[in-house]
Amino acid sequence: GYDSRRPVVVDWHQEFAPAEMTALTGPSGCGKSTRLYLLALMLRLDAGRVELDGERVDDRSDAARAMLRAHRFGFVFQDAALDPTRTVLDNVLESALYRGARRRGSVETALRLLQQLEVGVPADRRPGQISGGQAQRIAVCRALVGAPDVVFADEPTGSLDPGSADAVLATLRQQAEAGACVVIVTHDPRVADRCDRRIELPRTA
């Protein structure tokens, strides 16, 4: 059976550079998403450390970690994780407003991203009646609206048709070209081929 005490990630060391897109690939159950959550400070390490710009950040308080995620990180969840009670625009703006950004400038950026990713949903609609692919593209807009220094994306193209996947990858590439570090968990070799670097993770014992 499954042993919850067994570490998922052991003896793993990687560096991720600005202006680079890296794919994390490997068989199901090898800890791809777990690594992403650890790097994004959403899970606590039992041992080891996470550094950003040469400074250790994993040992900071919950509040400090939350502020770091809000100001420096963008995260695309595998299931989009949109709030059905809020409009498409407010879902995209969520992280920017939490960060204290000015609404007007953030709205302009959000609308530009929604258009760039061809979401095709009115910004004032609530996300209850949209497709999974549209929801995922909205989630990508939400992750990028604050021009984060580091972008973590967990299977960002998993529910997308090829055209939509191309639009998402092109937008992530633009973010990297602007200087961001982009880390993508994917099982799709076509996505990995679009990245600058591929890290193949072994199956866990």
Side-chain angles (χ1 to χ4, degrees):
Y2 176 72
D3 182 358
S4 62
R5 297 167 298 176
R6 182 172 60 85
V8 176
V9 180
V10 180
D11 293 335
W12 190 64
H13 175 270
Q14 285 292 337
E15 294 186 7
F16 300 91
E20 182 180 70
M21 275 175 61
T22 301
L24 290 184
T25 65
S28 179
C30 72
K32 298 187 296 293
S33 295
T34 300
R35 284 169 169 82
L36 212 62
Y37 278 77
L38 288 167
L39 291 169
L41 307 180
M42 293 180 183
L43 293 175
R44 287 253 181 212
L45 294 167
D46 293 324
R49 58 200 292 140
V50 176
E51 295 184 355
L52 180 65
D53 296 335
E55 290 187 18
R56 185 173 183 180
V57 292
D58 64 281
D59 59 348
R60 296 184 181 181
S61 69
D62 288 345
R65 288 151 58 95
M67 288 300 291
L68 191 62
R69 287 195 300 268
H71 285 267
R72 304 287 304 276
F73 297 166
F75 200 101
V76 183
F77 296 93
Q78 196 166 352
D79 64 354
L82 302 182
D83 182 346
T85 69
R86 306 168 77 182
T87 65
V88 167
L89 180 60
D90 283 341
N91 267 281
V92 174
L93 293 176
E94 177 186 8
S95 60
L97 298 182
Y98 175 78
R99 198 173 57 249
R102 296 183 63 170
R103 184 178 175 89
R104 176 178 292 183
S106 297
V107 166
E108 292 174 359
T109 302
L111 294 175
R112 176 179 55 78
L113 284 166
L114 287 167
Q115 182 176 25
Q116 182 176 339
L117 284 164
E118 301 174 353
V119 170
V121 177
D124 59 356
R125 181 178 296 178
R126 299 184 193 282
Q129 297 154 337
I130 62 177
S131 71
Q134 288 170 322
Q136 187 68 330
R137 280 176 279 168
I138 292 166
V140 173
C141 294
R142 178 183 58 193
L144 300 183
V145 70
D149 297 322
V150 187
V151 180
F152 300 104
D154 192 1
E155 299 281 8
T157 62
S159 60
L160 301 180
D161 60 83
S164 298
D166 283 343
V168 165
L169 290 171
T171 304
L172 291 173
R173 169 60 65 189
Q174 283 185 356
Q175 200 72 20
E177 289 175 350
C181 169
V182 180
V183 184
I184 303 173
V185 161
T186 185
H187 67 275
D188 188 339
R190 293 169 299 181
V191 173
D193 288 345
R194 296 274 293 271
C195 293
D196 302 306
R197 186 164 62 118
R198 175 174 179 165
I199 299 171
E200 178 79 21
L201 301 173
R203 186 181 300 278
T204 54

